[in-house]
Amino acid sequence: MLEEVAKRLKEAKKAVALTGAGISKESGIPTFRGANGLWKKFKPEELATPWAFQRDPKLVWEWYLWRRSLVIDKEPNEGHFLLARLETMVPEFWVITQNIDGLHAQAGSKNIIELHGNIWRERCSSCGFKRVNRSDRMEELPPRCPECGALLRPDVVWFGEALSPDALDAAIHHSETCDVMLVIGTSAVVQPAASLPLMAKNAGVFVVEVNPERTPISDMCDVSLRMGAVEFAQALQRYL
Ligand code: NAD
Ligand code: ZN
C-alpha cells in the first residue's frame, strides 16, 4: 500500500494534502474531539460562533487565548515535515488545511491554503485592520482596533460563517486538478472541507486517507490507512 502511495507521489505532476486537527495531535495540540477538547464547560460549537462573540466577546477571547497557550510552544512533527518535503519533490504541491495553528508554515511548507484562518491573526470587526500577534496574553480584553476602536476578533472562520471565497475556490481547483490527494487527520465532517476529497475522487484523483479511525470518506478512498500522521510519514519516507 505505502509503496503504491509513494509511487503515485513520485509520478505526480501535482499533489495536494488536505489536513485537519489530527495532523497536529502528535505535536501535542488537542483535536476538538480529544479529551482536552473541552474548555471550562463549553463546547467549541458554543464559542466559535459570531453569536457567542456578540454576546460575550471577553469569554470568546479568553477561550482563544487558552487555545493559543496550547499552541505557542508546540513544534511541527514528522507529518508536517513530510508535506514540506513533498513540496520540494512534486512539481506542484499544495497543503489545504483546516488547522489554524500555523504549524505547516513552521515546518517549511510554502503553498498553504488556510481554509479556517490563523489563530495568531486578529482583525477588526468593523474596518479592514489586521495584525499578527504571536502572544497568549492580552492587556485589554476584549482587544480594540487601534485604527477605529471597534472590537478586534480572531481572524478565523467560525461555525456559521462562510469561508473566504478565494481560499475555497483555490482549494476546489487544486483538489480537482491534482493527481494525488492525501487526506490526513480530518474527521471529514466539517463542511465544506469534507467534500474536497469527494470532488477530487469524482475528478479521477487518487485519494489516500491517513487516520487512526474510520471516517465517512474511508470507503470512498483508493487507499485508507489506519495510522497516525507520524507513523505514516516514517513509513512512507522509506519508499520516497
Ligand atoms: P476533528 O477534531 O474533528 O478530527 C480529528 C481527526 O484526526 C479525527 O478523525 C481523528 O481520528 C484523527 N486523528 C487523531 N489522531 C491522529 C493522528 N495522530 N494522525 C492523524 N489523524 C489523527 O478535526 P477536523 O476534522 O480538523 O475538524 C475540526 C475543526 O476544528 C477544524 O476546523 C479544525 O481545523 C479545527 N481545529 C483545529 C486545531 C488546530 O489548528 N490544530 C485543533 C482543534 C480543532
Ligand atoms: Zn478598526
Side-chain angles (χ1 to χ4, degrees), residues 123-130 144-152:
R123 76 174 146 94
C124 179
S125 54
S126 174
C127 74
F129 178 81
K130 278 196 189 201
R144 299 217 162 245
C145 174
E147 305 274 325
C148 77
L151 289 181
L152 285 180

Side-chain angles (χ1 to χ4, degrees), residues 20-22 24-26 29-33 67 98-101 116 185-188 190 210-213 228-229:
S24 294
K25 193 179 160 194
E26 289 165 280
I29 300 170
T31 63
F32 273 175
R33 299 184 313 158
R67 290 187 64 192
Q98 301 172 84
N99 295 346
I100 59 176
D101 57 32
H116 294 167
T186 173
S187 55
V190 179
V210 179
N211 196 313
E213 288 175 37

Side-chain angles (χ1 to χ4, degrees), residues 3-231:
E3 204 171 350
E4 163 84 358
V5 174
K7 182 169 166 282
R8 296 270 181 170
L9 284 167
K10 282 194 272 194
E11 288 168 356
K13 291 190 184 68
K14 174 168 176 172
V16 163
L18 174 67
T19 67
I23 196 170
S24 294
K25 193 179 160 194
E26 289 165 280
S27 290
I29 300 170
T31 63
F32 273 175
R33 299 184 313 158
N36 284 326
L38 282 183
W39 175 74
K40 299 192 176 170
K41 56 191 183 319
F42 300 100
K43 292 191 200 127
E45 296 86 344
E46 293 165 352
L47 293 167
T49 74
W51 305 284
F53 189 70
Q54 223 168 23
R55 203 169 49 231
D56 196 343
K58 187 162 182 275
L59 177 76
V60 172
W61 264 112
E62 281 169 348
W63 180 58
Y64 274 95
L65 292 182
W66 172 74
R67 290 187 64 192
R68 284 182 177 189
S69 77
L70 298 176
V71 175
I72 198 159
D73 58 345
K74 302 300 188 294
E75 303 283 343
N77 64 52
E78 287 178 67
H80 301 98
F81 287 122
L82 169 75
L83 303 185
R85 182 174 167 214
L86 287 174
E87 190 172 327
T88 67
M89 273 180 50
V90 182
E92 186 177 350
F93 191 87
W94 288 89
V95 173
I96 303 171
T97 189
Q98 301 172 84
N99 295 346
I100 59 176
D101 57 32
L103 289 187
H104 286 299
Q106 251 174 272
S109 286
K110 300 270 187 298
N111 290 344
I112 306 169
I113 298 171
E114 289 181 321
L115 289 175
H116 294 167
N118 189 296
I119 197 164
W120 305 112
R121 236 174 20 236
E122 300 165 2
R123 76 174 146 94
C124 179
S125 54
S126 174
C127 74
F129 178 81
K130 278 196 189 201
R131 73 176 178 201
V132 174
N133 179 17
R134 220 187 136 76
S135 167
D136 60 355
R137 264 161 237 198
M138 260 175 205
E139 280 168 26
E140 186 197 9
L141 266 191
R144 299 217 162 245
C145 174
E147 305 274 325
C148 77
L151 289 181
L152 285 180
R153 55 165 284 177
D155 193 11
V156 300
V157 179
W158 284 328
F159 293 103
E161 291 185 320
L163 273 60
S164 136
D166 288 350
L168 187 57
D169 283 352
I172 292 171
H173 169 72
H174 296 310
S175 299
E176 290 183 333
T177 53
C178 62
D179 303 300
V180 183
M181 175 186 262
L182 305 175
V183 184
I184 308 177
T186 173
S187 55
V189 291
V190 179
Q191 291 295 353
S195 28
L196 295 173
L198 301 170
M199 292 179 185
K201 187 73 202 147
N202 287 338
V205 174
F206 188 78
V207 181
V208 179
E209 177 180 58
V210 179
N211 196 313
E213 288 175 37
R214 285 181 62 78
T215 75
I217 63 158
S218 296
D219 286 335
M220 165 225 99
C221 292
D222 294 284
V223 175
S224 183
L225 300 164
R226 291 288 77 74
M227 55 174 74
V230 167
E231 186 188 351

